[in-house]
Amino acid sequence: MTGSLIILTGAGISADSGLATFRDADGMWSKFNWQDLATPEAFARDPQQVHAFYNARRAQLSDVAPNDAHRALAKLERDWMAAGGQFLLVTQNVDDLHERSGSKNLIHMHGELTKMRCVHCDYVDVAFEALSTDLPCLNCRRADVLRPDIVWFGEMPMQMDMIMEALESCTLFAAIGTSGTVYPAAGFADLARQAGARCVEINLDATDISTGFDECLTGRASDTVPNWVAGLCETTP
Ligand code: OAD
């Protein structure tokens, strides 16, 4: 189990924990208009509406728990690192289910529901309660400056330098539960393949980018990921 393993996860891995995906038939963007909720312009127009959307999603975290797919990836990280390999888990998810299942080497490229950021001084703090425009920043003390520490449409995902550097030396790449429609994450498999990595997709169904993978496994993440991890541990020297 040596080499450099990068796992990319999307909303599908948390679907089996009860969190809605975005683009499935009952997904979030079928019920809500992302232009009103997930852009800097929407926040400037109506911050309370944006806060209400993310407050509800943050509150939901205490009602859900990691599933077998999250747990399998945490175990894979421990085993892979113990064998001397490099491991990076990149998630597009803003929930905290990966860390709650024990994943350590983890990048939340689209931010985290449990963090807030001051638009005035850039101070980032934990956010476990509801946010509002009335709350002051704990650092600069201004009001009307706190936003969810979430990457919105039109904004640069987080820690891209680290992700790009890791992709350059990747030997095995797996994309789990992501539709492959949002860039730059949707382009990671191509970059990994260019670096010589074997690419595996795990999803409920084939996606628009499935042809870019060496292997596509279909099924619910909570079934397919533990099986894939078990196979990997048996077969990878
Ligand atoms: P999507 O909703 O676009 O895709 C979820 C994928 O998970 C789909 O391909 C489903 O087929 C698959 N899926 C659903 N249930 C599954 C299950 N039980 N097991 C395995 N796969 C399952 O979500 P993302 O690709 O994560 O960004 O979306 C990417 C970004 O778009 C999000 O981070 C978010 C969204 O707009 C922002 O809000 C900035």
Side-chain angles (χ1 to χ4, degrees), residues 10-12 16 22-24 29 92 110 151 153 177-179 203-204 221:
D16 291 340
F22 294 94
R23 293 175 185 80
D24 289 307
W29 298 150
Q92 296 165 91
H110 288 169
V151 175
F153 287 97
T178 176
S179 59
N203 201 297
L204 207 48

Side-chain angles (χ1 to χ4, degrees), residues 19-83:
L19 293 176
T21 63
F22 294 94
R23 293 175 185 80
D24 289 307
D26 56 350
M28 219 121 41
W29 298 150
S30 70
K31 300 191 179 97
F32 303 102
N33 191 355
W34 63 263
Q35 289 92 341
D36 294 334
L37 299 166
T39 69
E41 294 78 17
F43 188 63
R45 260 193 322 268
D46 192 344
Q48 290 295 32
Q49 177 175 260
V50 174
H51 277 313
F53 175 68
Y54 288 101
N55 286 343
R57 294 181 62 198
R58 187 179 304 108
Q60 213 186 354
L61 294 180
S62 52
D63 298 332
V64 297
N67 63 56
D68 286 345
H70 296 104
R71 283 189 282 274
L73 293 184
K75 178 185 180 319
L76 176 60
E77 176 179 357
R78 287 192 295 274
D79 292 352
W80 197 271
M81 303 281 283

Side-chain angles (χ1 to χ4, degrees), residues 181-222:
T181 48
V182 175
Y183 283 80
F188 288 174
D190 282 345
L191 294 172
R193 206 180 43 248
Q194 281 163 28
R198 175 177 172 72
C199 297
V200 180
E201 181 182 62
I202 302 178
N203 201 297
L204 207 48
D205 296 302
T207 68
D208 290 348
I209 61 166
S210 291
T211 51
F213 289 84
D214 299 295
E215 186 183 6
C216 296
L217 305 171
T218 52
R220 299 170 71 90
S222 55

Side-chain angles (χ1 to χ4, degrees), residues 145-201:
V145 287
L146 294 178
R147 60 168 278 181
D149 196 26
I150 300 282
V151 175
W152 287 322
F153 287 97
E155 296 184 319
M156 182 62 82
M158 296 176 181
Q159 296 182 261
M160 281 306 295
D161 289 354
M162 202 182 286
I163 297 170
M164 297 310 273
E165 195 184 319
L167 283 168
E168 280 169 18
S169 57
C170 180
T171 55
L172 177 61
F173 175 84
I176 301 171
T178 176
S179 59
T181 48
V182 175
Y183 283 80
F188 288 174
D190 282 345
L191 294 172
R193 206 180 43 248
Q194 281 163 28
R198 175 177 172 72
C199 297
V200 180
E201 181 182 62

